[in-house]
Amino acid sequence: PLVLALDVSTPRPGPIEVRFKTRRVPSYTAGQSETVRAPAGRSRVYLYFKTPDLLGPLLIKPGTKAGRYVIHALEARAIVDR
């Protein structure tokens, strides 16, 4: 599993969607995504990916309305059970 932390600025409250590929489905689809709601302004949001077979880069889709969206920082961490 993967935890993604995004430090983002958004012009208004709304969703931030992150799509991913897997070994079974190696393309970006709406069914392979995680979404979190971000408030207006600058904030830190977290997305948790439970899919064990993530593949390749992530596709970040901030917001659904026109405006300036800024990703200030991105941090990804894998969760390892021991």
Side-chain angles (χ1 to χ4, degrees), residues 1 5 7 16 31-32 34 36-37 42-43 45 53 55 65 67 80-81:
D7 179 5
I16 295 179
Q32 293 189 153
E34 293 295 330
V36 66
R37 187 160 177 82
R42 189 168 179 170
S43 63
V45 296
D53 60 341
L55 178 68
K65 307 280 185 190
V80 180
D81 289 330

Side-chain angles (χ1 to χ4, degrees), residues 35-78:
T35 303
V36 66
R37 187 160 177 82
R42 189 168 179 170
S43 63
R44 188 166 179 93
V45 296
Y46 298 89
L47 296 108
Y48 178 67
F49 299 85
K50 301 171 214 96
T51 306
D53 60 341
L54 287 173
L55 178 68
L58 301 172
L59 173 66
I60 301 171
K61 298 177 73 174
T64 55
K65 307 280 185 190
R68 183 179 168 158
Y69 296 83
V70 178
I71 298 174
H72 302 281
L74 179 146
E75 181 179 343
R77 295 202 179 202

Side-chain angles (χ1 to χ4, degrees), residues 10-30:
T10 62
R12 60 189 53 83
I16 295 179
E17 179 185 17
V18 178
R19 292 187 181 187
F20 55 89
K21 300 176 187 180
T22 64
R23 288 184 186 92
R24 287 175 282 129
V25 183
S27 60
Y28 298 112
T29 66

